[in-house]
């Protein structure tokens, strides 16, 4: 077993448990970056019965605080075809930095944009993957990054934001002596505020007064 120093581990048992969780994180990252989060793609060469057993073992290891034991790590490395001890070593730094940068960029974009509803319905696991990537626990491949970017949609304004924006457009148009533009803005304002009593009253007051 590769010896690593795990911050916060006081006893040997705590260090062993920390190693299980670190292998779990590395397995997640490897699967996310190499197969876009579909871990079974790594083991489809196995007979169905063996695939089912190994899949259950991985599910247990990846859920909660169980982690990946040394025995399971060696089995996974063998079946994937990667070097012995791979999951006891950090993944390539360049690959990790690129994934982290993608994750941070996507989280920032998600604060400014909405996601296509149809994409969201079929991609809940991918959303979890993206949110975890910003903290370095999950990975985002270039393929997933581009997929999420393609699913971004402009955020819908709430009624108050729309009222403020369109009202400002109407006022600006009036101040610039553009009555046609003002009328169009007022029509948009009427459509936006339809069915909202308070906004409708504000609109009526505006229509009864000269703007500017």
């Amino acid at each position: 077993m590769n010896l690593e120093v795990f911050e916060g581990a006081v006893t040997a048992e705590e260090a062993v448990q920390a190693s299980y969780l670190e292998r779990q994180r590395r397995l997640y990252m490897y699967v996310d970056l190499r197969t876009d989060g579909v871990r079974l793609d790594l083991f489809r060469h196995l007979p169905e019965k063996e695939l089912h057993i190994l899949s259950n073992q991985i599910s247990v290891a990846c859920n909660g605080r169980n982690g990946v034991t040394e025995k399971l790590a060696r089995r996974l490395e063998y079946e994937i075809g990667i070097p012995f001890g791979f999951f006891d070593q950090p993944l390539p730094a360049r690959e990790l930095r690129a994934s982290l940068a993608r994750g941070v960029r996507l989280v920032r974009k998600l604060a400014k944009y909405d996601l296509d509803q149809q994409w969201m319905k079929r991609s809940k696991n991918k959303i979890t993957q993206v949110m975890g990537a910003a903290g370095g626990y999950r990975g985002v491949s270039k393929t997933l990054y581009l997929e999420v970017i393609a699913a971004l949609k402009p955020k819908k304004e709430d009624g108050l934001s729309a009222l403020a924006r369109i009202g400002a457009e109407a006022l600006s148009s009036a101040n610039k002596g553009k009555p046609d533009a003002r009328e169009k803005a007022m029509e948009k304002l009427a459509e936006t505020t339809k069915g909202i009593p308070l906004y409708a009253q504000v609109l009526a007051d505006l229509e009864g007064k000269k703007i500017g």
Side-chain angles (χ1 to χ4, degrees), residues 111-117 152-162 165 192:
K112 299 178 181 179
Y113 294 86
D114 288 328
L115 282 168
D116 179 78
Q117 291 298 311
L152 294 176
K153 301 290 182 184
K155 273 189 177 293
K156 292 182 179 179
E157 292 179 306
D158 58 31
L160 186 58
S161 298
R165 179 179 59 78
T192 302

Side-chain angles (χ1 to χ4, degrees), residues 7-176:
E7 186 176 349
V10 177
T11 66
E13 286 145 358
E14 289 177 351
V16 169
Q17 183 59 35
S19 73
Y20 290 177
L21 295 177
E22 184 58 23
R23 289 194 200 101
Q24 181 194 72
R25 186 183 75 84
R26 289 168 183 167
L27 174 59
Y28 264 125
M29 292 288 290
Y30 183 87
V31 171
D32 289 344
L33 294 174
R34 306 299 167 84
T35 67
D36 286 321
V38 186
R39 57 182 178 238
L40 287 184
D41 281 354
L42 296 169
F43 309 105
R44 296 198 186 279
H45 60 283
L46 293 173
E48 186 175 350
K49 186 176 180 180
E50 285 186 47
L51 177 61
H52 179 70
I53 293 172
L54 185 59
S55 177
N56 286 341
Q57 291 174 337
I58 296 173
S59 293
V60 171
C62 287
N63 289 331
R65 297 189 59 80
N66 293 312
V68 177
T69 65
E70 184 175 7
K71 182 178 179 180
L72 178 59
R74 303 294 84 85
R75 169 79 192 282
L76 296 177
E77 290 160 358
Y78 174 79
E79 296 297 352
I80 296 171
I82 53 181
F84 180 93
F86 182 91
F87 289 122
D88 285 341
Q89 305 293 331
L91 291 174
R94 182 177 179 181
E95 200 170 358
L96 292 177
R97 285 197 300 269
S99 171
L100 181 61
R102 293 184 198 112
V104 170
R105 283 198 296 268
L106 286 179
V107 168
R108 287 175 178 170
K109 287 184 179 295
L110 290 173
K112 299 178 181 179
Y113 294 86
D114 288 328
L115 282 168
D116 179 78
Q117 291 298 311
Q118 293 301 317
W119 186 87
M120 282 185 66
K121 287 179 182 178
R122 64 177 185 271
S123 306
K124 291 181 180 179
N125 289 338
K126 292 181 180 180
I127 296 170
T128 301
Q129 187 178 329
V130 167
M131 301 310 290
Y137 188 75
R138 300 292 301 269
V140 173
S141 66
K142 186 175 181 180
T143 299
L144 178 58
Y145 177 80
L146 294 175
E147 183 180 339
V148 177
I149 291 295
L152 294 176
K153 301 290 182 184
K155 273 189 177 293
K156 292 182 179 179
E157 292 179 306
D158 58 31
L160 186 58
S161 298
L163 177 65
R165 179 179 59 78
I166 299 172
E169 289 175 1
L171 181 59
S172 176
S173 297
N175 289 336
K176 291 178 181 178

